[in-house]
Amino acid sequence: MVSWAIWRERNDFVWQKKSWLASNIVTLAKNMLDQYRFAQERKGLSLSPLNDGGRNCERWNAPVLNKIKVNVDGALFEKEGQFGVGCVARDHHGTIVEAFKKGKIGYVQPETAEIIGIKEALNWIATHPWDNVVFETDSLVCVQAVQSKVFMSSQFGLIVQDVRNLLLSLSFVELCFVKRSANKLVHCLARDSCFSTGCALQLEDCSSEVRSIVLNEFIN
């Protein structure tokens, strides 16, 4: 894994002029080893229940009555040395109950940005009076890692353990994987999060692109 990580980062330097610290290469190697381990654990098991809750949804669907659906996504801003998170909660009418976006400083791997976003969203859910939440992400790697029993000692793995503990305390939250096409709204919020220090949003606070996605998903 270390050799592969060095080879990958060397290619980034040669072809894209990206330079990484040795610590970043070690982190990448650990993350890849973690992913390999829990992939081995799942050999022979169907992944279809993880894909999208068995619904094969190509687009976002409103939750049933009395449920809240929370979607989350992460985004990388490599040139700025930052990453960000977008999260939104909607009711059975498809109406935004509340949303937030938050930018963070640091160079991280994509799966680390996603799992940090999931942890942030769970902590955010815990501050609300909801008692029946469907929680969706388009990161299959993160969902598999959280549902795995494999211990991972990397930064990614330690945050995965935090997420597992949060889900134990939030027994009313159901974690699901959905396709990117069903997660468009928070993908847009995550991309808008670069210079945000973290703030709660209502629909009127969001960009025209976000409002357009909400309207389109509501109509369809």
Side-chain angles (χ1 to χ4, degrees):
M1 291 299 179
V2 172
S3 297
W4 181 87
I6 292 172
W7 172 79
R8 173 176 162 174
E9 302 310 331
R10 180 182 179 279
N11 281 347
D12 278 350
F13 179 75
V14 171
W15 301 110
Q16 300 184 44
K17 306 303 178 186
K18 291 182 182 178
S19 182
W20 294 83
L21 297 174
S23 58
N24 295 124
I25 296 173
V26 172
T27 297
L28 174 62
K30 285 183 176 180
N31 286 347
M32 289 302 300
L33 182 59
D34 286 344
Q35 291 173 35
Y36 173 80
R37 283 173 174 162
F38 68 70
Q40 295 307 300
E41 183 194 48
R42 295 200 60 83
K43 269 189 174 180
L45 299 178
S46 171
L47 295 181
S48 57
L50 292 177
N51 286 346
D52 49 28
R55 296 182 295 273
N56 294 314
C57 295
E58 297 289 343
R59 62 182 181 83
W60 185 86
N61 286 316
V64 299
L65 182 65
N66 296 326
K67 273 196 174 186
I68 295 292
K69 179 171 283 189
V70 175
N71 291 74
V72 67
D73 198 18
L76 298 181
F77 309 105
E78 291 186 357
K79 290 183 179 179
E80 293 82 6
Q82 295 180 319
F83 63 100
V85 175
C87 183
V88 63
R90 285 181 276 185
D91 62 18
H92 63 279
H93 295 298
T95 303
I96 290 181
V97 178
E98 193 177 317
F100 78 84
K101 59 181 179 179
K102 181 182 292 186
K104 292 180 172 289
I105 296 174
Y107 291 96
V108 297
Q109 296 299 318
E111 63 272 13
T112 301
E114 296 284 1
I115 198 67
I116 289 174
I118 291 172
K119 180 180 176 180
E120 290 273 352
L122 287 171
N123 282 321
W124 178 71
I125 290 170
T127 66
H128 291 76
W130 307 323
D131 57 9
N132 202 340
V133 176
V134 179
F135 185 35
E136 295 181 340
T137 170
D138 60 24
S139 175
L140 181 58
V141 168
C142 289
V143 174
Q144 288 178 327
V146 170
Q147 295 183 352
S148 167
K149 296 180 181 178
V150 174
F151 173 74
M152 297 169 282
S153 59
S154 65
Q155 178 191 21
F156 173 76
L158 294 175
I159 301 171
V160 165
Q161 188 58 50
D162 289 342
V163 169
R164 291 171 183 164
N165 292 335
L166 281 167
L167 285 171
L168 286 175
S169 66
L170 300 171
S171 57
F172 56 88
V173 177
E174 175 192 4
L175 177 63
C176 302
F177 168 75
V178 292
K179 298 174 183 177
R180 171 60 63 86
S181 58
N183 216 36
K184 290 179 181 178
L185 180 57
V186 284
H187 180 65
C188 181
L189 280 175
R191 285 193 285 107
D192 289 344
S193 69
C194 186
F195 301 107
S196 171
T197 56
C199 55
L201 303 168
Q202 300 296 328
L203 181 61
E204 57 270 21
D205 304 315
C206 298
S207 67
S208 58
E209 183 180 3
V210 168
R211 293 197 298 271
S212 176
I213 293 172
V214 172
L215 178 62
N216 183 61
E217 290 181 336
F218 178 77
I219 292 173
N220 294 321

